[in-house]
Amino acid sequence: MAQSMNKTVDLAVSGTRFRAMSTYGKVMIGDEAFEFYNEKNVEDYIQIPWDQITYVVADVHFKGKYIPRFEIRTKKDGKFVFITKDPKKTLRAIRKYVPADHMRQALGVWDTIKLFFTRKKK
């Protein structure tokens, strides 16, 4: 059984982690780390201390009304993609511990196409 890194929990919400297959469980945001625990397998968990997070990138659609997923980028372990039941509340809780300049909005479809063609010319 995993031991939580957090002393106090600010938010606990249902969530999904994406890798090869979806994993359902609980996302916990506390004073020490971002944590995800699988609901079926207690040994399958992720604990990311706040000092290891480089960026949090959110997919934002319809001027912030719909946020389908967000990605946490770390210094050592790469990227983790999550969906939570209430993504706005989750990102607000994360914002308490991650500086505002490390919270990003993902590029939209048109921005990606524009970037592709501007890089192609160089």
Side-chain angles (χ1 to χ4, degrees), residues 29-49:
I29 297 171
D31 59 341
E32 299 289 326
F34 178 93
E35 300 177 332
F36 175 80
Y37 296 99
N38 187 342
E39 63 187 16
K40 293 185 179 175
N41 182 4
V42 293
E43 295 303 318
D44 182 19
Y45 62 91
I46 297 171
Q47 295 175 327
I48 307 170

Side-chain angles (χ1 to χ4, degrees), residues 15-19 21-25 36-39 44:
T16 305
R17 175 181 175 224
F18 288 104
R19 48 181 174 187
M21 291 182 59
S22 301
T23 305
Y24 303 100
F36 175 80
Y37 296 99
N38 187 342
E39 63 187 16
D44 182 19

Side-chain angles (χ1 to χ4, degrees), residues 8 17 21 29 32 35 55-56 65 70 78 80 83 85 89 97 105 110-111 117 120 122:
T8 60
R17 175 181 175 224
M21 291 182 59
I29 297 171
E32 299 289 326
E35 300 177 332
Y55 288 101
V56 177
K65 297 197 183 298
F70 61 93
F80 300 96
I83 289 179
K85 190 167 187 152
K89 189 184 274 188
Y97 302 104
Q105 182 175 338
W110 294 113
D111 295 326
F117 285 112
K120 199 88 161 164
K122 293 180 183 179

Side-chain angles (χ1 to χ4, degrees), residues 50-64:
W50 295 120
D51 61 349
Q52 292 297 314
I53 294 176
T54 56
Y55 288 101
V56 177
V57 181
D59 254 354
V60 179
H61 299 287
F62 305 114
K63 298 181 183 176

Side-chain angles (χ1 to χ4, degrees), residues 9-15 25-30 35 84 89-90 93:
V9 176
D10 295 340
L11 179 69
V13 65
S14 299
K26 285 281 186 194
V27 170
M28 285 183 14
I29 297 171
E35 300 177 332
T84 59
K89 189 184 274 188
T90 305

